[in-house]
Amino acid sequence: MRPGGASAGSAQTGQQHADHLWRHTDPKPSYDAVVVGAGGHGLATAFYLAKNHGITNVAVLERGWLAGGNMARNTTIIRSNYLWDESAAIYEHALKLWEGLPEELDYDFLFSQRGVLNLAHTQQDVRDSRRRVYANQLNGVDGEWLTPDEVAKVCPILNVSPETRYPVLGATYQPRAGIAKHDHVAWAFARQCDQYGIDLIQHCEVTGFLTSGNRVTGVRTTRGDIAAGRVAMTAAGHSSVLAGTLGLRLPVQSHPLQALVSELLEPVHPTVVMSNHVHVYVSQAHKGELVMGAGVDSYNSYGQRGSVHVIEQQMAAAVELFPIFARAHVLRTWGGIVDVTPDASPVIGLTPYENLYINCGWGTGGFKATPAVGWVMAHLVATGTPHALNEPFGLDRFTTGALIDEHGAAAVAH
């Protein structure tokens, strides 16, 4: 029996739920590294610090409960079919890690490579989509262009009639894309972190930083000051608030992003379908709920809810694509806080403060990148220099103008 009570081979057997997957510890006075935020990115960063770099005197601090923020509030989609070389590289690295992660973490988090369709409804959509397929193929990312008839074969319940208001003119298709059960992913990383001796400390809010000149030496928390050799900030939608305590203004805006699930239905939806044009994306969870998301609320907020009209619009869009869902009942809705940059790409890199490293600005793309972000953030924290995969995503691109504009490759506009 392994620490935490789960047995080896559980990724294959499906039995997971030991009484305790990680220890509940109090913070020590100091650590070699502190990770702010125990979401997927923070946990993956700590895991790869230990696994890839042998750094285990690490604390992951979470103001609420582990993985209770955006990790618990996303739509679980995984794909790597982004347009630009920089994005394709880091998302494809993530997808390759995802493909081996259940075995590596010894945890079955229901990773299902059921493919993703990105629909085109206008001739401009078609041109942009074909361009993205060609770019994907040049970058070694699986992707192809499908005609409406081919789309219907992949997803028979999708309405591809030419008589609809926004007819489907075709779609990009990435067969290796899919979904995973997000809370299980967090628990899998957390259990491995615990086995490395990493402290996962919940209900410990970071309220500021300890500094010496231009160097960060630790964090201020609601449970006292903690010294740290290095600090990794992975606080998602609240990154700008934390950075503001240092007088550092980040190029991000925080918005509520809503999602919803239907009642349980029999398995009817075989893949993931996204439409930027009608503004919705839909998949079906393993237990039968339809999982739907759309765009962000247009105002800035840290409230984990959103406007009713956004829910109404995304359900209308879903029914337009899937008339079969017209009588399905909504079971629940929720909101997360996404931090959005001007070019819809993340910030991963150095800050003006020595020993403080930042990861934020993921918009709607954070979950799918989880293992790759942990990989590159661990490299950054361990070595003090960016990994080749995240070097283009530094803060300096907003002064040099070397932006990575991925608005067109997002699931929906934001």
Side-chain angles (χ1 to χ4, degrees), residues 5-357:
S7 63
S10 56
Q12 285 72 42
T13 64
Q15 73 83 18
Q16 310 296 338
H17 298 283
D19 292 338
H20 303 286
L21 293 175
W22 59 89
R23 297 163 292 126
H24 295 285
T25 59
D26 293 322
K28 297 189 296 190
S30 68
Y31 291 92
D32 292 335
V34 163
V35 179
V36 182
H41 288 195
L43 293 168
T45 298
F47 169 70
Y48 286 116
L49 270 173
K51 178 178 182 289
N52 291 356
H53 304 281
I55 299 174
T56 58
N57 183 25
V58 177
V60 184
L61 308 182
E62 172 56 47
R63 68 173 188 156
W65 63 92
L66 187 145
N70 286 356
M71 191 65 173
R73 297 171 178 275
N74 70 81
T75 49
T76 78
I77 297 168
I78 294 167
R79 62 188 176 92
S80 62
N81 58 346
Y82 280 71
L83 175 63
W84 297 107
D85 295 349
E86 299 89 342
S87 306
I90 194 166
Y91 283 109
E92 179 62 14
H93 183 62
L95 182 49
K96 289 177 178 174
L97 290 173
W98 280 115
E99 289 172 329
L101 214 50
E103 182 175 359
E104 182 177 11
L105 299 181
D106 188 25
Y107 207 107
D108 182 7
F109 45 74
L110 303 179
F111 178 47
S112 169
Q113 291 178 282
R114 59 183 62 184
V116 61
L117 292 166
N118 290 84
L119 305 181
H121 300 276
T122 70
Q123 288 302 325
Q124 186 61 48
D125 281 350
V126 172
R127 287 189 285 270
D128 291 343
S129 299
R130 284 179 176 272
R131 177 192 182 201
R132 181 140 63 104
V133 167
Y134 299 145
N136 289 163
Q137 292 172 347
L138 287 171
N139 278 313
V141 176
D142 59 317
E144 54 188 299
W145 171 256
L146 302 185
T147 65
D149 288 343
E150 292 169 329
V151 170
K153 290 178 182 176
V154 174
C155 188
I157 62 171
L158 179 65
N159 185 7
V160 297
S161 167
E163 306 303 321
T164 58
R165 184 167 53 153
Y166 301 109
V168 175
L169 303 182
T172 67
Y173 183 53
Q174 185 183 18
R176 289 168 56 240
I179 61 172
K181 200 165 190 323
H182 46 6
D183 46 359
H184 285 206
V185 173
W187 299 341
F189 275 119
R191 190 183 65 162
Q192 291 293 336
C193 287
D194 184 80
Q195 292 180 5
Y196 277 119
I198 292 168
D199 286 349
L200 307 177
I201 304 169
Q202 303 178 91
H203 305 294
C204 183
E205 180 177 1
V206 173
T207 58
F209 297 91
L210 306 173
T211 60
S212 175
N214 207 37
R215 180 186 180 89
V216 166
T217 59
V219 292
R220 295 191 180 281
T221 83
T222 52
R223 298 176 66 175
D225 293 348
I226 302 173
R230 290 152 280 190
V231 176
M233 195 162 68
T234 61
H238 289 76
S239 298
S240 58
V241 176
L242 266 181
T245 65
L246 287 169
L248 175 60
R249 185 180 178 188
L250 298 179
V252 300
Q253 293 189 28
S254 296
H255 297 263
L257 173 65
Q258 295 187 78
L260 60 90
V261 294
S262 73
E263 60 188 326
L264 303 182
L265 303 172
E266 63 179 293
V268 293
H269 192 358
T271 185
V272 180
V273 172
M274 298 181 168
S275 171
N276 204 320
H277 195 83
V278 304
H279 225 226
V280 73
Y281 43 98
V282 185
S283 65
Q284 187 168 21
H286 291 82
K287 64 180 179 180
E289 301 157 317
L290 298 172
V291 184
M292 288 175 262
V296 300
D297 278 71
S298 57
Y299 55 86
N300 299 136
S301 173
Y302 297 102
Q304 291 179 322
R305 56 187 182 277
S307 303
V308 174
H309 74 274
V310 173
I311 296 292
E312 182 181 10
Q313 289 167 358
Q314 75 185 63
M315 285 193 294
V319 172
E320 183 133 17
L321 296 176
F322 301 96
I324 191 175
F325 297 158
R327 292 184 178 276
H329 295 97
V330 172
L331 187 66
R332 61 188 173 90
T333 70
W334 67 91
I337 305 304
V338 295
D339 45 339
V340 180
T341 63
D343 61 356
S345 288
V347 175
I348 322 167
L350 307 170
T351 73
Y353 284 85
E354 187 179 346
N355 287 1
L356 176 64
Y357 310 102

